[in-house]
PDB file of all heavy atoms in Angstrom:
ATOM      1  N   GLN R   1       0.837  -1.198   0.000  1.00 95.00           N
ATOM      2  CA  GLN R   1       0.000   0.000   0.000  1.00 95.00           C
ATOM      3  C   GLN R   1       0.872   1.247   0.000  1.00 95.00           C
ATOM      4  O   GLN R   1       1.784   1.371   0.810  1.00 95.00           O
ATOM      5  CB  GLN R   1      -0.912   0.015   1.222  1.00 95.00           C
ATOM      6  CG  GLN R   1      -1.794   1.243   1.342  1.00 95.00           C
ATOM      7  CD  GLN R   1      -2.789   1.349   0.194  1.00 95.00           C
ATOM      8  OE1 GLN R   1      -3.512   0.399  -0.079  1.00 95.00           O
ATOM      9  NE2 GLN R   1      -2.824   2.501  -0.466  1.00 95.00           N
ATOM     10  N   TYR R   2       0.588   2.168  -0.905  1.00 95.00           N
ATOM     11  CA  TYR R   2       1.289   3.456  -0.946  1.00 95.00           C
ATOM     12  C   TYR R   2       0.473   4.502  -0.188  1.00 95.00           C
ATOM     13  O   TYR R   2      -0.761   4.405  -0.089  1.00 95.00           O
ATOM     14  CB  TYR R   2       1.495   3.909  -2.394  1.00 95.00           C
ATOM     15  CG  TYR R   2       2.752   3.356  -3.029  1.00 95.00           C
ATOM     16  CD1 TYR R   2       3.105   2.013  -2.886  1.00 95.00           C
ATOM     17  CD2 TYR R   2       3.608   4.163  -3.755  1.00 95.00           C
ATOM     18  CE1 TYR R   2       4.257   1.504  -3.456  1.00 95.00           C
ATOM     19  CE2 TYR R   2       4.778   3.664  -4.336  1.00 95.00           C
ATOM     20  CZ  TYR R   2       5.094   2.332  -4.179  1.00 95.00           C
ATOM     21  OH  TYR R   2       6.244   1.826  -4.734  1.00 95.00           O
ATOM     22  N   GLY R   3       1.183   5.495   0.348  1.00 94.00           N
ATOM     23  CA  GLY R   3       0.533   6.576   1.062  1.00 94.00           C
ATOM     24  C   GLY R   3       0.243   7.746   0.145  1.00 94.00           C
ATOM     25  O   GLY R   3       0.972   7.994  -0.821  1.00 94.00           O
ATOM     26  N   LEU R   4      -0.818   8.479   0.446  1.00 93.00           N
ATOM     27  CA  LEU R   4      -1.220   9.629  -0.360  1.00 93.00           C
ATOM     28  C   LEU R   4      -1.060  10.897   0.457  1.00 93.00           C
ATOM     29  O   LEU R   4      -1.651  11.040   1.528  1.00 93.00           O
ATOM     30  CB  LEU R   4      -2.671   9.474  -0.819  1.00 93.00           C
ATOM     31  CG  LEU R   4      -3.241  10.581  -1.707  1.00 93.00           C
ATOM     32  CD1 LEU R   4      -2.446  10.688  -3.005  1.00 93.00           C
ATOM     33  CD2 LEU R   4      -4.707  10.326  -2.002  1.00 93.00           C
ATOM     34  N   ASP R   5      -0.230  11.814  -0.047  1.00 93.00           N
ATOM     35  CA  ASP R   5      -0.002  13.074   0.653  1.00 93.00           C
ATOM     36  C   ASP R   5       0.201  14.176  -0.393  1.00 93.00           C
ATOM     37  O   ASP R   5       1.073  14.057  -1.265  1.00 93.00           O
ATOM     38  CB  ASP R   5       1.231  12.968   1.565  1.00 93.00           C
ATOM     39  CG  ASP R   5       1.413  14.201   2.435  1.00 93.00           C
ATOM     40  OD1 ASP R   5       0.450  14.591   3.118  1.00 93.00           O
ATOM     41  OD2 ASP R   5       2.514  14.776   2.430  1.00 93.00           O
ATOM     42  N   ASN R   6      -0.615  15.232  -0.306  1.00 91.00           N
ATOM     43  CA  ASN R   6      -0.551  16.341  -1.260  1.00 91.00           C
ATOM     44  C   ASN R   6      -0.674  15.858  -2.702  1.00 91.00           C
ATOM     45  O   ASN R   6       0.012  16.336  -3.610  1.00 91.00           O
ATOM     46  CB  ASN R   6       0.749  17.133  -1.087  1.00 91.00           C
ATOM     47  CG  ASN R   6       0.791  17.875   0.232  1.00 91.00           C
ATOM     48  OD1 ASN R   6      -0.234  18.365   0.724  1.00 91.00           O
ATOM     49  ND2 ASN R   6       1.967  17.950   0.836  1.00 91.00           N
ATOM     50  N   GLY R   7      -1.532  14.875  -2.905  1.00 90.00           N
ATOM     51  CA  GLY R   7      -1.786  14.377  -4.251  1.00 90.00           C
ATOM     52  C   GLY R   7      -0.715  13.466  -4.805  1.00 90.00           C
ATOM     53  O   GLY R   7      -0.769  13.091  -5.979  1.00 90.00           O
ATOM     54  N   GLN R   8       0.269  13.073  -3.992  1.00 92.00           N
ATOM     55  CA  GLN R   8       1.371  12.230  -4.471  1.00 92.00           C
ATOM     56  C   GLN R   8       1.340  10.882  -3.754  1.00 92.00           C
ATOM     57  O   GLN R   8       1.225  10.816  -2.530  1.00 92.00           O
ATOM     58  CB  GLN R   8       2.718  12.917  -4.234  1.00 92.00           C
ATOM     59  CG  GLN R   8       3.895  12.139  -4.817  1.00 92.00           C
ATOM     60  CD  GLN R   8       5.209  12.877  -4.659  1.00 92.00           C
ATOM     61  OE1 GLN R   8       5.347  13.723  -3.784  1.00 92.00           O
ATOM     62  NE2 GLN R   8       6.181  12.578  -5.495  1.00 92.00           N
ATOM     63  N   TRP R   9       1.463   9.820  -4.559  1.00 95.00           N
ATOM     64  CA  TRP R   9       1.509   8.463  -4.011  1.00 95.00           C
ATOM     65  C   TRP R   9       2.956   8.096  -3.701  1.00 95.00           C
ATOM     66  O   TRP R   9       3.816   8.112  -4.592  1.00 95.00           O
ATOM     67  CB  TRP R   9       0.934   7.461  -5.008  1.00 95.00           C
ATOM     68  CG  TRP R   9      -0.541   7.589  -5.217  1.00 95.00           C
ATOM     69  CD1 TRP R   9      -1.181   8.189  -6.267  1.00 95.00           C
ATOM     70  CD2 TRP R   9      -1.572   7.096  -4.349  1.00 95.00           C
ATOM     71  NE1 TRP R   9      -2.534   8.102  -6.104  1.00 95.00           N
ATOM     72  CE2 TRP R   9      -2.817   7.439  -4.940  1.00 95.00           C
ATOM     73  CE3 TRP R   9      -1.572   6.407  -3.143  1.00 95.00           C
ATOM     74  CZ2 TRP R   9      -4.045   7.104  -4.368  1.00 95.00           C
ATOM     75  CZ3 TRP R   9      -2.792   6.073  -2.562  1.00 95.00           C
ATOM     76  CH2 TRP R   9      -4.008   6.412  -3.167  1.00 95.00           C
ATOM     77  N   THR R  10       3.243   7.774  -2.445  1.00 96.00           N
ATOM     78  CA  THR R  10       4.618   7.514  -2.003  1.00 96.00           C
ATOM     79  C   THR R  10       4.632   6.361  -0.997  1.00 96.00           C
ATOM     80  O   THR R  10       3.701   6.195  -0.209  1.00 96.00           O
ATOM     81  CB  THR R  10       5.227   8.768  -1.336  1.00 96.00           C
ATOM     82  OG1 THR R  10       5.132   9.868  -2.223  1.00 96.00           O
ATOM     83  CG2 THR R  10       6.693   8.548  -0.991  1.00 96.00           C
ATOM     84  N   ARG R  11       5.716   5.596  -1.019  1.00 96.00           N
ATOM     85  CA  ARG R  11       5.949   4.586   0.023  1.00 96.00           C
ATOM     86  C   ARG R  11       7.409   4.671   0.447  1.00 96.00           C
ATOM     87  O   ARG R  11       8.322   4.669  -0.399  1.00 96.00           O
ATOM     88  CB  ARG R  11       5.632   3.182  -0.484  1.00 96.00           C
ATOM     89  CG  ARG R  11       5.826   2.077   0.559  1.00 96.00           C
ATOM     90  CD  ARG R  11       4.889   2.243   1.766  1.00 96.00           C
ATOM     91  NE  ARG R  11       5.179   1.286   2.817  1.00 96.00           N
ATOM     92  CZ  ARG R  11       4.551   0.113   2.953  1.00 96.00           C
ATOM     93  NH1 ARG R  11       3.610  -0.235   2.083  1.00 96.00           N
ATOM     94  NH2 ARG R  11       4.859  -0.692   3.938  1.00 96.00           N
ATOM     95  N   VAL R  12       7.637   4.775   1.743  1.00 96.00           N
ATOM     96  CA  VAL R  12       8.982   4.851   2.314  1.00 96.00           C
ATOM     97  C   VAL R  12       9.332   3.481   2.886  1.00 96.00           C
ATOM     98  O   VAL R  12       8.582   2.926   3.698  1.00 96.00           O
ATOM     99  CB  VAL R  12       9.063   5.932   3.406  1.00 96.00           C
ATOM    100  CG1 VAL R  12      10.477   5.990   3.980  1.00 96.00           C
ATOM    101  CG2 VAL R  12       8.657   7.294   2.853  1.00 96.00           C
ATOM    102  N   PHE R  13      10.482   2.956   2.475  1.00 96.00           N
ATOM    103  CA  PHE R  13      10.939   1.644   2.951  1.00 96.00           C
ATOM    104  C   PHE R  13      12.175   1.826   3.827  1.00 96.00           C
ATOM    105  O   PHE R  13      13.160   2.447   3.411  1.00 96.00           O
ATOM    106  CB  PHE R  13      11.269   0.732   1.768  1.00 96.00           C
ATOM    107  CG  PHE R  13      10.080   0.401   0.911  1.00 96.00           C
ATOM    108  CD1 PHE R  13       9.793   1.165  -0.217  1.00 96.00           C
ATOM    109  CD2 PHE R  13       9.246  -0.653   1.228  1.00 96.00           C
ATOM    110  CE1 PHE R  13       8.695   0.874  -1.012  1.00 96.00           C
ATOM    111  CE2 PHE R  13       8.143  -0.955   0.442  1.00 96.00           C
ATOM    112  CZ  PHE R  13       7.867  -0.194  -0.676  1.00 96.00           C
ATOM    113  N   VAL R  14      12.114   1.272   5.035  1.00 95.00           N
ATOM    114  CA  VAL R  14      13.227   1.347   5.984  1.00 95.00           C
ATOM    115  C   VAL R  14      13.576  -0.082   6.391  1.00 95.00           C
ATOM    116  O   VAL R  14      13.043  -0.610   7.374  1.00 95.00           O
ATOM    117  CB  VAL R  14      12.853   2.185   7.225  1.00 95.00           C
ATOM    118  CG1 VAL R  14      14.080   2.398   8.109  1.00 95.00           C
ATOM    119  CG2 VAL R  14      12.271   3.539   6.815  1.00 95.00           C
ATOM    120  N   PRO R  15      14.458  -0.749   5.649  1.00 92.00           N
ATOM    121  CA  PRO R  15      14.767  -2.149   5.962  1.00 92.00           C
ATOM    122  C   PRO R  15      15.594  -2.280   7.233  1.00 92.00           C
ATOM    123  O   PRO R  15      16.341  -1.373   7.608  1.00 92.00           O
ATOM    124  CB  PRO R  15      15.555  -2.612   4.727  1.00 92.00           C
ATOM    125  CG  PRO R  15      16.169  -1.358   4.188  1.00 92.00           C
ATOM    126  CD  PRO R  15      15.196  -0.256   4.474  1.00 92.00           C
ATOM    127  N   GLY R  16      15.451  -3.413   7.874  1.00 87.00           N
ATOM    128  CA  GLY R  16      16.232  -3.667   9.078  1.00 87.00           C
ATOM    129  C   GLY R  16      17.593  -4.257   8.780  1.00 87.00           C
ATOM    130  O   GLY R  16      18.484  -4.241   9.632  1.00 87.00           O
ATOM    131  N   SER R  17      17.784  -4.772   7.551  1.00 81.00           N
ATOM    132  CA  SER R  17      19.029  -5.466   7.225  1.00 81.00           C
ATOM    133  C   SER R  17      19.956  -4.665   6.327  1.00 81.00           C
ATOM    134  O   SER R  17      21.048  -5.115   6.008  1.00 81.00           O
ATOM    135  CB  SER R  17      18.700  -6.790   6.530  1.00 81.00           C
ATOM    136  OG  SER R  17      17.942  -6.554   5.353  1.00 81.00           O
ATOM    137  N   GLU R  18      19.540  -3.467   5.910  1.00 85.00           N
ATOM    138  CA  GLU R  18      20.345  -2.667   5.009  1.00 85.00           C
ATOM    139  C   GLU R  18      20.351  -1.224   5.484  1.00 85.00           C
ATOM    140  O   GLU R  18      19.314  -0.696   5.899  1.00 85.00           O
ATOM    141  CB  GLU R  18      19.781  -2.741   3.580  1.00 85.00           C
ATOM    142  CG  GLU R  18      20.604  -1.998   2.558  1.00 85.00           C
ATOM    143  CD  GLU R  18      19.958  -2.006   1.189  1.00 85.00           C
ATOM    144  OE1 GLU R  18      18.813  -2.493   1.066  1.00 85.00           O
ATOM    145  OE2 GLU R  18      20.592  -1.509   0.241  1.00 85.00           O
ATOM    146  N   ALA R  19      21.511  -0.597   5.427  1.00 87.00           N
ATOM    147  CA  ALA R  19      21.641   0.790   5.885  1.00 87.00           C
ATOM    148  C   ALA R  19      21.267   1.754   4.772  1.00 87.00           C
ATOM    149  O   ALA R  19      22.097   2.529   4.279  1.00 87.00           O
ATOM    150  CB  ALA R  19      23.055   1.052   6.390  1.00 87.00           C
ATOM    151  N   ALA R  20      20.016   1.699   4.360  1.00 92.00           N
ATOM    152  CA  ALA R  20      19.532   2.569   3.287  1.00 92.00           C
ATOM    153  C   ALA R  20      18.035   2.744   3.432  1.00 92.00           C
ATOM    154  O   ALA R  20      17.328   1.829   3.844  1.00 92.00           O
ATOM    155  CB  ALA R  20      19.867   1.979   1.922  1.00 92.00           C
ATOM    156  N   VAL R  21      17.559   3.944   3.101  1.00 95.00           N
ATOM    157  CA  VAL R  21      16.129   4.240   3.083  1.00 95.00           C
ATOM    158  C   VAL R  21      15.736   4.506   1.642  1.00 95.00           C
ATOM    159  O   VAL R  21      16.400   5.284   0.941  1.00 95.00           O
ATOM    160  CB  VAL R  21      15.790   5.458   3.964  1.00 95.00           C
ATOM    161  CG1 VAL R  21      14.330   5.870   3.787  1.00 95.00           C
ATOM    162  CG2 VAL R  21      16.077   5.155   5.426  1.00 95.00           C
ATOM    163  N   SER R  22      14.675   3.857   1.187  1.00 95.00           N
ATOM    164  CA  SER R  22      14.181   4.050  -0.175  1.00 95.00           C
ATOM    165  C   SER R  22      12.846   4.773  -0.131  1.00 95.00           C
ATOM    166  O   SER R  22      11.966   4.412   0.653  1.00 95.00           O
ATOM    167  CB  SER R  22      14.008   2.706  -0.889  1.00 95.00           C
ATOM    168  OG  SER R  22      15.256   2.057  -1.058  1.00 95.00           O
ATOM    169  N   VAL R  23      12.714   5.795  -0.964  1.00 97.00           N
ATOM    170  CA  VAL R  23      11.458   6.540  -1.088  1.00 97.00           C
ATOM    171  C   VAL R  23      10.972   6.346  -2.518  1.00 97.00           C
ATOM    172  O   VAL R  23      11.556   6.882  -3.468  1.00 97.00           O
ATOM    173  CB  VAL R  23      11.655   8.038  -0.781  1.00 97.00           C
ATOM    174  CG1 VAL R  23      10.325   8.782  -0.909  1.00 97.00           C
ATOM    175  CG2 VAL R  23      12.234   8.229   0.615  1.00 97.00           C
ATOM    176  N   ASN R  24       9.910   5.554  -2.661  1.00 96.00           N
ATOM    177  CA  ASN R  24       9.357   5.265  -3.978  1.00 96.00           C
ATOM    178  C   ASN R  24       8.095   6.098  -4.194  1.00 96.00           C
ATOM    179  O   ASN R  24       7.248   6.188  -3.302  1.00 96.00           O
ATOM    180  CB  ASN R  24       9.000   3.782  -4.107  1.00 96.00           C
ATOM    181  CG  ASN R  24      10.218   2.887  -4.027  1.00 96.00           C
ATOM    182  OD1 ASN R  24      11.344   3.369  -3.915  1.00 96.00           O
ATOM    183  ND2 ASN R  24      10.014   1.594  -4.092  1.00 96.00           N
ATOM    184  N   SER R  25       7.970   6.690  -5.353  1.00 95.00           N
ATOM    185  CA  SER R  25       6.774   7.455  -5.683  1.00 95.00           C
ATOM    186  C   SER R  25       6.314   7.079  -7.080  1.00 95.00           C
ATOM    187  O   SER R  25       7.133   6.781  -7.959  1.00 95.00           O
ATOM    188  CB  SER R  25       7.036   8.962  -5.588  1.00 95.00           C
ATOM    189  OG  SER R  25       8.081   9.343  -6.459  1.00 95.00           O
ATOM    190  N   PHE R  26       4.988   7.096  -7.266  1.00 95.00           N
ATOM    191  CA  PHE R  26       4.422   6.703  -8.553  1.00 95.00           C
ATOM    192  C   PHE R  26       3.343   7.699  -8.957  1.00 95.00           C
ATOM    193  O   PHE R  26       2.469   8.044  -8.157  1.00 95.00           O
ATOM    194  CB  PHE R  26       3.828   5.293  -8.467  1.00 95.00           C
ATOM    195  CG  PHE R  26       3.297   4.782  -9.787  1.00 95.00           C
ATOM    196  CD1 PHE R  26       4.092   4.773 -10.916  1.00 95.00           C
ATOM    197  CD2 PHE R  26       1.989   4.326  -9.895  1.00 95.00           C
ATOM    198  CE1 PHE R  26       3.610   4.307 -12.134  1.00 95.00           C
ATOM    199  CE2 PHE R  26       1.497   3.863 -11.107  1.00 95.00           C
ATOM    200  CZ  PHE R  26       2.303   3.849 -12.224  1.00 95.00           C
ATOM    201  N   ASP R  27       3.453   8.172 -10.190  1.00 93.00           N
ATOM    202  CA  ASP R  27       2.447   9.064 -10.763  1.00 93.00           C
ATOM    203  C   ASP R  27       1.794   8.321 -11.923  1.00 93.00           C
ATOM    204  O   ASP R  27       2.326   8.284 -13.035  1.00 93.00           O
ATOM    205  CB  ASP R  27       3.105  10.360 -11.262  1.00 93.00           C
ATOM    206  CG  ASP R  27       2.084  11.386 -11.732  1.00 93.00           C
ATOM    207  OD1 ASP R  27       0.946  10.986 -12.028  1.00 93.00           O
ATOM    208  OD2 ASP R  27       2.427  12.578 -11.803  1.00 93.00           O
ATOM    209  N   PRO R  28       0.635   7.693 -11.673  1.00 91.00           N
ATOM    210  CA  PRO R  28       0.017   6.894 -12.738  1.00 91.00           C
ATOM    211  C   PRO R  28      -0.450   7.730 -13.916  1.00 91.00           C
ATOM    212  O   PRO R  28      -0.475   7.244 -15.049  1.00 91.00           O
ATOM    213  CB  PRO R  28      -1.168   6.214 -12.017  1.00 91.00           C
ATOM    214  CG  PRO R  28      -1.448   7.067 -10.830  1.00 91.00           C
ATOM    215  CD  PRO R  28      -0.138   7.659 -10.421  1.00 91.00           C
ATOM    216  N   ASP R  29      -0.825   8.985 -13.672  1.00 89.00           N
ATOM    217  CA  ASP R  29      -1.292   9.832 -14.770  1.00 89.00           C
ATOM    218  C   ASP R  29      -0.161  10.178 -15.733  1.00 89.00           C
ATOM    219  O   ASP R  29      -0.351  10.208 -16.948  1.00 89.00           O
ATOM    220  CB  ASP R  29      -1.934  11.107 -14.231  1.00 89.00           C
ATOM    221  CG  ASP R  29      -3.193  10.824 -13.425  1.00 89.00           C
ATOM    222  OD1 ASP R  29      -3.905   9.853 -13.786  1.00 89.00           O
ATOM    223  OD2 ASP R  29      -3.462  11.522 -12.429  1.00 89.00           O
ATOM    224  N   GLU R  30       1.020  10.455 -15.168  1.00 90.00           N
ATOM    225  CA  GLU R  30       2.174  10.780 -16.001  1.00 90.00           C
ATOM    226  C   GLU R  30       2.946   9.535 -16.432  1.00 90.00           C
ATOM    227  O   GLU R  30       3.829   9.608 -17.286  1.00 90.00           O
ATOM    228  CB  GLU R  30       3.120  11.724 -15.252  1.00 90.00           C
ATOM    229  CG  GLU R  30       2.532  13.094 -14.954  1.00 90.00           C
ATOM    230  CD  GLU R  30       2.261  13.890 -16.204  1.00 90.00           C
ATOM    231  OE1 GLU R  30       2.998  13.714 -17.193  1.00 90.00           O
ATOM    232  OE2 GLU R  30       1.309  14.691 -16.199  1.00 90.00           O
ATOM    233  N   GLY R  31       2.640   8.380 -15.796  1.00 92.00           N
ATOM    234  CA  GLY R  31       3.369   7.161 -16.125  1.00 92.00           C
ATOM    235  C   GLY R  31       4.825   7.236 -15.713  1.00 92.00           C
ATOM    236  O   GLY R  31       5.723   6.904 -16.495  1.00 92.00           O
ATOM    237  N   GLU R  32       5.065   7.677 -14.456  1.00 94.00           N
ATOM    238  CA  GLU R  32       6.446   7.843 -13.990  1.00 94.00           C
ATOM    239  C   GLU R  32       6.596   7.251 -12.592  1.00 94.00           C
ATOM    240  O   GLU R  32       5.838   7.573 -11.685  1.00 94.00           O
ATOM    241  CB  GLU R  32       6.822   9.318 -13.985  1.00 94.00           C
ATOM    242  CG  GLU R  32       8.273   9.572 -13.615  1.00 94.00           C
ATOM    243  CD  GLU R  32       8.657  11.023 -13.786  1.00 94.00           C
ATOM    244  OE1 GLU R  32       9.011  11.418 -14.912  1.00 94.00           O
ATOM    245  OE2 GLU R  32       8.567  11.778 -12.794  1.00 94.00           O
ATOM    246  N   PHE R  33       7.587   6.382 -12.463  1.00 96.00           N
ATOM    247  CA  PHE R  33       7.922   5.769 -11.178  1.00 96.00           C
ATOM    248  C   PHE R  33       9.328   6.214 -10.796  1.00 96.00           C
ATOM    249  O   PHE R  33      10.257   6.099 -11.605  1.00 96.00           O
ATOM    250  CB  PHE R  33       7.858   4.243 -11.281  1.00 96.00           C
ATOM    251  CG  PHE R  33       8.184   3.529  -9.999  1.00 96.00           C
ATOM    252  CD1 PHE R  33       7.245   3.398  -8.996  1.00 96.00           C
ATOM    253  CD2 PHE R  33       9.445   2.981  -9.791  1.00 96.00           C
ATOM    254  CE1 PHE R  33       7.538   2.738  -7.815  1.00 96.00           C
ATOM    255  CE2 PHE R  33       9.756   2.317  -8.624  1.00 96.00           C
ATOM    256  CZ  PHE R  33       8.799   2.199  -7.626  1.00 96.00           C
ATOM    257  N   VAL R  34       9.486   6.762  -9.592  1.00 96.00           N
ATOM    258  CA  VAL R  34      10.784   7.287  -9.144  1.00 96.00           C
ATOM    259  C   VAL R  34      11.170   6.605  -7.838  1.00 96.00           C
ATOM    260  O   VAL R  34      10.362   6.529  -6.900  1.00 96.00           O
ATOM    261  CB  VAL R  34      10.734   8.813  -8.945  1.00 96.00           C
ATOM    262  CG1 VAL R  34      12.092   9.327  -8.462  1.00 96.00           C
ATOM    263  CG2 VAL R  34      10.335   9.518 -10.234  1.00 96.00           C
ATOM    264  N   MET R  35      12.400   6.128  -7.794  1.00 95.00           N
ATOM    265  CA  MET R  35      12.934   5.500  -6.596  1.00 95.00           C
ATOM    266  C   MET R  35      14.163   6.297  -6.149  1.00 95.00           C
ATOM    267  O   MET R  35      15.138   6.400  -6.894  1.00 95.00           O
ATOM    268  CB  MET R  35      13.324   4.042  -6.870  1.00 95.00           C
ATOM    269  CG  MET R  35      13.906   3.310  -5.667  1.00 95.00           C
ATOM    270  SD  MET R  35      14.559   1.664  -6.146  1.00 95.00           S
ATOM    271  CE  MET R  35      13.097   0.908  -6.863  1.00 95.00           C
ATOM    272  N   GLU R  36      14.105   6.863  -4.951  1.00 94.00           N
ATOM    273  CA  GLU R  36      15.236   7.610  -4.396  1.00 94.00           C
ATOM    274  C   GLU R  36      15.772   6.849  -3.187  1.00 94.00           C
ATOM    275  O   GLU R  36      15.001   6.459  -2.308  1.00 94.00           O
ATOM    276  CB  GLU R  36      14.810   9.022  -4.003  1.00 94.00           C
ATOM    277  CG  GLU R  36      14.424   9.873  -5.197  1.00 94.00           C
ATOM    278  CD  GLU R  36      14.168  11.327  -4.845  1.00 94.00           C
ATOM    279  OE1 GLU R  36      13.767  11.599  -3.694  1.00 94.00           O
ATOM    280  OE2 GLU R  36      14.367  12.192  -5.715  1.00 94.00           O
ATOM    281  N   ARG R  37      17.101   6.669  -3.174  1.00 94.00           N
ATOM    282  CA  ARG R  37      17.734   5.897  -2.097  1.00 94.00           C
ATOM    283  C   ARG R  37      18.710   6.781  -1.328  1.00 94.00           C
ATOM    284  O   ARG R  37      19.524   7.484  -1.916  1.00 94.00           O
ATOM    285  CB  ARG R  37      18.475   4.676  -2.663  1.00 94.00           C
ATOM    286  CG  ARG R  37      17.530   3.537  -3.028  1.00 94.00           C
ATOM    287  CD  ARG R  37      18.231   2.435  -3.791  1.00 94.00           C
ATOM    288  NE  ARG R  37      19.509   2.039  -3.219  1.00 94.00           N
ATOM    289  CZ  ARG R  37      19.655   1.154  -2.225  1.00 94.00           C
ATOM    290  NH1 ARG R  37      18.592   0.590  -1.678  1.00 94.00           N
ATOM    291  NH2 ARG R  37      20.859   0.844  -1.793  1.00 94.00           N
ATOM    292  N   TYR R  38      18.604   6.710  -0.017  1.00 93.00           N
ATOM    293  CA  TYR R  38      19.485   7.447   0.883  1.00 93.00           C
ATOM    294  C   TYR R  38      20.377   6.429   1.587  1.00 93.00           C
ATOM    295  O   TYR R  38      19.884   5.575   2.344  1.00 93.00           O
ATOM    296  CB  TYR R  38      18.668   8.235   1.910  1.00 93.00           C
ATOM    297  CG  TYR R  38      17.773   9.298   1.313  1.00 93.00           C
ATOM    298  CD1 TYR R  38      16.543   8.965   0.753  1.00 93.00           C
ATOM    299  CD2 TYR R  38      18.149  10.634   1.306  1.00 93.00           C
ATOM    300  CE1 TYR R  38      15.720   9.934   0.196  1.00 93.00           C
ATOM    301  CE2 TYR R  38      17.334  11.614   0.753  1.00 93.00           C
ATOM    302  CZ  TYR R  38      16.118  11.251   0.206  1.00 93.00           C
ATOM    303  OH  TYR R  38      15.300  12.211  -0.335  1.00 93.00           O
ATOM    304  N   LEU R  39      21.669   6.487   1.331  1.00 92.00           N
ATOM    305  CA  LEU R  39      22.632   5.560   1.929  1.00 92.00           C
ATOM    306  C   LEU R  39      23.151   6.200   3.217  1.00 92.00           C
ATOM    307  O   LEU R  39      23.955   7.129   3.175  1.00 92.00           O
ATOM    308  CB  LEU R  39      23.765   5.272   0.946  1.00 92.00           C
ATOM    309  CG  LEU R  39      23.318   4.860  -0.471  1.00 92.00           C
ATOM    310  CD1 LEU R  39      24.521   4.606  -1.360  1.00 92.00           C
ATOM    311  CD2 LEU R  39      22.412   3.631  -0.409  1.00 92.00           C
ATOM    312  N   LEU R  40      22.686   5.686   4.342  1.00 90.00           N
ATOM    313  CA  LEU R  40      22.892   6.360   5.621  1.00 90.00           C
ATOM    314  C   LEU R  40      23.884   5.638   6.509  1.00 90.00           C
ATOM    315  O   LEU R  40      24.043   4.411   6.435  1.00 90.00           O
ATOM    316  CB  LEU R  40      21.549   6.487   6.354  1.00 90.00           C
ATOM    317  CG  LEU R  40      20.410   7.169   5.586  1.00 90.00           C
ATOM    318  CD1 LEU R  40      19.138   7.168   6.417  1.00 90.00           C
ATOM    319  CD2 LEU R  40      20.793   8.579   5.179  1.00 90.00           C
TER     320      LEU R  40
END
């Protein structure tokens, strides 16, 4: 399930086994999927 905030569908993943946070967002109208990774 993705979260909806300010008209944007986003899901934040915080794994327990990897030192990285992924922020995935999807715009179905524009047909664009973006994955941003923060190596912490």
Side-chain angles (χ1 to χ4, degrees):
Q1 178 64 52
Y2 274 45
L4 181 61
D5 187 52
N6 292 325
Q8 185 176 23
W9 291 101
T10 305
R11 181 62 186 265
V12 180
F13 296 94
V14 187
S17 59
E18 183 184 6
V21 172
S22 295
V23 180
N24 295 358
S25 59
F26 184 54
D27 186 340
D29 296 326
E30 295 294 329
E32 184 173 275
F33 180 80
V34 179
M35 180 188 303
E36 294 187 332
R37 283 171 46 84
Y38 297 80
L39 310 180
L40 305 178

